[in-house]
Amino acid sequence: MEKIYALFRMNILIFVLLAATVIALTAYHKGLNDIVFLNLSDYPYIIAQTDSADGGNSAVKLIRTDSSVVVDYELREGYAYPFAGIKILLGDGQTKGLDLSHYDSIFVWIKPRGEGTVRLYMRSYDPTIYREGDESSLKFNELEFFPLEETYPAVFVPQEFRVAGWWVAQNEINVHKARVDLSNVPLIEIQTGTNAPLGYGTMEIRGLCFKGKKIAWADLVTIIVAIWFVTFLIILIIRFFDYSRERASNKKKREELEKNLKALEIEKSEYEKSSKEDPLTGCLNRAGFSSVLMREHEELVKNGSPVSFVILDIDHFKDVNDTWGHNVGDEVLVNLTKLIQGKIRNTDALVRWGGEEFVILCGDTPIQNAQFLAEKLRHAIETTQLIKQQVITCSFGIAEMVAGEDPKRLFDRADKALYASKQAGRNRVTSATFKKSESR
């Protein structure tokens, strides 16, 4: 009977493994999509560009709408190949970008008002080629197409890109280095195409989308094979231990002990998490903020990545509590937290500093971009009904971290900027400057 029971148990295990394999393969083909969408209407890191850097005279104007960005341009004589367009900064826009190499489809929403081609450059960083501070040494992975002849959005695959020949010749690149590489793309450029006619023109660009799978097919197959191998190894081990009731009993006790240890680890993890989070809003508290601040400061010292510090305070919050009660005040705090978390990046840290005061730590962000973010948040708070009783506004102070600066001095600078916003009438953004004397 014991042998029959053991055989039945092994068959059940194999059946479960077969079912799991079928589910995994089906899930890969039907789902497991990895999608990144750049909605340019609210993407802050966009710069208009023309041929002026190459001695040209073309002009360009960038206009944001609710759903897109519109590039109005005039191509003028003065450069052999006049052009105009935009730059989209990913990461720091120089050496740290996004890994787009595992995406198999690229969607581009672009509508030119007129005929002609459009150039799409995926500018990638190669440490063996890049020259410090020289943007032209970022590799030009190029694709040129006629938008009016494509679907909307236009869809491309990475294999359709090529490295621009003029860039290879200009930089004397070895043939082995002149291959398309999308593993680190800090910059995307969209420009008017080759031989674009002189005069006025317009491009409306909604955004770009990169679609692929969360796991490569080869990796999935390797994992499945490994699981099958491990499972059969487990079957052999279990059958070996089935020869002895005593060993089976010890195995059960061991599994129970491991289960208890895992429960203790989960409990410890949950306790550590709760000790670093604000119980009302769910964002970080001061204890949780300390480790984030230390990590960003180390990145600043090691890699020079800019770090900005945004502090905001709810205007007249005491009046809200006094007039409507603390339950309404708590509602303001919770709804404000949800709004901010929906507007900032996953890499940004939101901290409830105390009472109605919040802090946002933005890594890889210079003070100009932090000011743009703060202004966007200020406007969103002012125009959003956080509570039905009255309009809520916030005042902002901004400072950029300086390597070696005492965090207390950084906070003091941001706090003074916040105070300046309050003194100037509230519901505004003020940026702090850094003086060398402050670091002494």
Side-chain angles (χ1 to χ4, degrees), residues 11-22:
N11 290 337
I12 289 293
L13 185 59
I14 292 174
F15 174 80
V16 171
L17 188 57
L18 281 170
T21 301
V22 172

Side-chain angles (χ1 to χ4, degrees), residues 24-62:
L25 295 176
T26 303
Y28 179 85
H29 291 290
K30 300 293 184 180
L32 292 179
N33 293 323
D34 184 8
I35 299 174
V36 172
F37 180 64
L38 297 178
N39 185 359
L40 300 190
S41 63
D42 59 3
Y43 191 77
Y45 312 110
I46 303 176
I47 302 172
Q49 65 169 166
T50 67
D51 52 28
S52 59
D54 299 308
N57 299 310
S58 299
V60 66
K61 181 180 180 181
L62 183 65

Side-chain angles (χ1 to χ4, degrees), residues 407-421:
K408 291 182 63 178
R409 291 188 180 275
L410 172 64
F411 185 87
D412 287 343
R413 290 197 291 117
D415 198 48
K416 287 178 182 178
L418 172 64
Y419 182 76
S421 293

Side-chain angles (χ1 to χ4, degrees), residues 412-432:
D412 287 343
R413 290 197 291 117
D415 198 48
K416 287 178 182 178
L418 172 64
Y419 182 76
S421 293
K422 294 276 190 182
Q423 289 294 101
R426 295 183 169 84
N427 190 24
R428 62 188 63 234
V429 176
T430 303
S431 296

Side-chain angles (χ1 to χ4, degrees), residues 19 45 47 101 106 131 153 167 170 174 211 217 222 224 226 240-241 281 283 300 302 340 352 368 374 394 401:
Y45 312 110
I47 302 172
S101 60
I106 302 172
R131 297 183 294 274
W167 179 82
Q170 178 179 300
N174 181 280
K211 184 177 180 181
W217 172 254
T222 300
I224 292 175
F240 173 78
F241 279 102
T281 61
C283 59
L300 171 63
K302 182 178 179 181
I340 295 174
R352 186 181 178 192
Q368 296 88 345
C394 290
M401 185 183 294

Side-chain angles (χ1 to χ4, degrees), residues 280-300:
L280 175 63
T281 61
C283 59
L284 293 176
N285 57 21
R286 293 195 183 192
F289 176 68
S290 298
S291 59
V292 177
L293 179 62
M294 183 179 300
R295 181 191 67 209
E296 292 297 342
H297 185 265
E298 288 175 354
E299 280 294 311
L300 171 63

Side-chain angles (χ1 to χ4, degrees), residues 374-392:
E375 187 61 37
K376 184 172 76 171
L377 290 175
R378 184 202 66 76
H379 177 73
I381 294 167
E382 181 183 26
T383 56
T384 301
Q385 186 179 16
L386 295 180
I387 56 173
K388 62 183 179 180
Q389 290 85 349
Q390 68 176 68
V391 174
I392 300 298

